[in-house]
């Protein structure tokens, strides 16, 4: 049996909440790329992917993503180019849409 844990939030007028506007010192927006890079740095040996017999940690996942990016670049793909992904469960297009078995959803 699993227990659902909730993270308590402090009221807006609490002394630890006041004056904590987002600054470079306390906030960094994560993109999918920076998320994988940061996770590989912080949790390199933590399990990231389980697919059948495949077990891959975050460092291996980041390394594989970098190799894919290098291979695309070697084929002439550059920043701003559109790349489509075909997958058994879904397909994503460069226009910001996810095509699943149940229809199209916007990723934007």
């Amino acid at each position: 049996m699993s227990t659902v844990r909730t993270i308590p939030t402090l009221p807006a007028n609490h002394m630890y909440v006041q004056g904590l506007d987002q600054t470079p010192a306390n906030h960094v927006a994560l993109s999918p790329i920076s998320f994988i890079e940061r996770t590989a740095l912080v949790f390199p040996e933590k399990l990231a992917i389980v697919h059948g017999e495949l077990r891959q940690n975050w460092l291996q996942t980041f390394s594989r993503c970098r190799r894919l990016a290098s291979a695309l670049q070697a084929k002439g793909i550059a920043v701003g180019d559109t790349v489509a992904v075909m997958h058994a469960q879904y397909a994503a297009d460069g226009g910001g849409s996810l095509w699943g078995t149940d229809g199209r959803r916007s990723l934007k």
Side-chain angles (χ1 to χ4, degrees), residues 65-79 81-85:
C65 290
R66 297 288 299 181
R67 288 193 313 271
L68 174 60
S70 293
L72 292 171
Q73 191 174 39
K75 292 288 186 184
I77 303 296
V79 173
D81 289 348
T82 299
V83 176
V85 176

Side-chain angles (χ1 to χ4, degrees), residues 36-37 40-41 44 56-71:
I36 291 174
E37 183 176 25
L41 178 68
Q56 196 167 289
N57 65 36
W58 281 107
L59 186 59
Q60 293 166 324
T61 301
F62 179 60
S63 176
R64 186 169 181 187
C65 290
R66 297 288 299 181
R67 288 193 313 271
L68 174 60
S70 293

Side-chain angles (χ1 to χ4, degrees), residues 1-2 11 16 23 26 30 37 62-63 66 70 86 89 95:
M1 182 167 127
S2 65
Y16 291 144
T23 68
N26 68 10
L30 290 176
E37 183 176 25
F62 179 60
S63 176
R66 297 288 299 181
S70 293
M86 297 301 293
Q89 300 295 326

Side-chain angles (χ1 to χ4, degrees), residues 8 12 19 28 38 42 45 54 59-60 64-66 71 74 78-79 86 98-99 101:
V28 176
R38 180 166 171 19
V42 176
E45 299 303 318
L54 175 69
L59 186 59
Q60 293 166 324
R64 186 169 181 187
C65 290
R66 297 288 299 181
V79 173
M86 297 301 293
L98 179 68
W99 296 79
T101 56

